[in-house]
């Protein structure tokens, strides 16, 4: 049966009809009456069982939906990350392409064989060097370098000294065929300055033997200018010699390299 049964019943009542004196009479009078009874059976389930089932059902559905939502968010984040990564790769590749195109354009304009120094000058370490053939006193040698856009060389690194020392081995014709450099103490004895006015770094000097000795046998004014070079090669690059500034010698001129923007012919 379901939770409640409905029973219908017809009840028949018979009542004798009596006379005034109390004696029974016939026929009897019959009265009908309809009775309806609603019967409910007690439930064997706990009062909250249905509510709990419904609640559990809703909880289960809610948990599943939450899991699906979280998974969807994770997948979306992964897709976005991949897209961003892809965009970044494209950007880097595009930038590299632009850089390559720029380098190719610059190379096309300048050319690999484009000289950075004027004719007669030699490029080394971002500077141009000129090794003269004619001989002049120190002051006149400096003027000659200036007319060419440079000055007597300033040696400010061991690397530069090494380059010049080896170069002069080939340029020198005799042991005394040395070259002026831009170092002098003509303003104050023993205080050495380069032609550009900067002081000599005492930790970066390449004096040969007992030099400087300011020898005055050939010139009473002493030796206030510096020449360099050893035809046979210098031990530990030490080939600086002080000399009277009036003595004629070859010279080393120096100036910065020039940037050329036109293709060399």
């Amino acid at each position: 049966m379901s939770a409640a049964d409905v029973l219908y019943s017809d009840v028949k009542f018979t009542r004798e009809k009596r006379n005034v004196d109390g004696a029974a009479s016939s026929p009897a009078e019959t009265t009908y009456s309809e009775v309806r009874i609603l019967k409910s059976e007690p439930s064997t389930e706990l009062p909250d069982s249905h509510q709990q089932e419904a609640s559990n059902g809703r909880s289960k559905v809610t948990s599943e939906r939450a899991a699906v939502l979280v998974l969807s968010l994770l997948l979306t984040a992964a897709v976005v990350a991949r897209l961003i990564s892809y965009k970044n790769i494209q950007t880097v590749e595009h930038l590299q392409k632009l850089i390559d195109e720029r380098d190719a354009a610059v190379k096309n304009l300048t050319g690999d064989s484009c000289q950075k120094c004027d004719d007669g000058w030699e490029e080394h370490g971002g500077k141009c060097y000129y090794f003269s053939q004619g001989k002049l006193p120190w002051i006149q040698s400096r003027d000659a370098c200036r007319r060419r856009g440079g000055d007597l060389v300033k040696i400010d690194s061991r690397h530069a000294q090494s380059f010049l020392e080896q170069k002069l081995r080939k340029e020198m014709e005799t042991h005394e065929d040395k070259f002026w450099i831009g170092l002098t103490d003509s303003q104050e004895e023993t205080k050495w300055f380069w032609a550009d006015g900067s002081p000599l770094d005492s930790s970066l000097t390449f004096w040969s033997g007992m030099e400087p000795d300011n020898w005055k046998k050939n010139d009473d004014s002493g030796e206030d200018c510096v020449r360099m070079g050893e035809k046979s090669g210098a031990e530990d690059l030490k080939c600086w010699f002080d000399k009277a500034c009036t003595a004629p010698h070859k010279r080393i001129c120096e100036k910065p390299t020039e940037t050329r923007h036109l293709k060399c012919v």
Side-chain angles (χ1 to χ4, degrees), residues 189-202:
E189 189 64 30
T190 71
K191 292 188 180 299
W192 297 94
F193 288 86
W194 292 103
D196 65 359
S198 59
L200 173 66
D201 183 354
S202 59

Side-chain angles (χ1 to χ4, degrees), residues 149-169:
D151 206 337
L152 284 174
V153 66
K154 173 183 178 180
I155 303 172
D156 54 6
S157 71
R158 186 176 182 85
H159 179 70
Q161 172 70 11
S162 176
F163 164 71
L164 295 174
E165 190 273 332
Q166 294 183 49
K167 178 69 177 177
L168 293 188
R169 295 182 193 180

Side-chain angles (χ1 to χ4, degrees), residues 3 7 37 58 76 116 129-130 139 175 210 227 249 264:
L7 301 180
I37 301 175
R58 286 194 298 270
T76 301
K116 298 179 181 179
Y129 296 93
Y130 175 78
I139 296 296
H175 175 71
M210 301 300 293
R227 59 181 185 163
H249 279 295
C264 297

Side-chain angles (χ1 to χ4, degrees), residues 5 30 33 38 59 75 79 91 134 146 178 184 200 222:
D5 293 332
T30 303
S33 177
L38 298 179
S59 299
L75 290 175
V79 171
T91 301
R146 285 178 168 179
K178 302 183 188 301
T184 179
L200 173 66

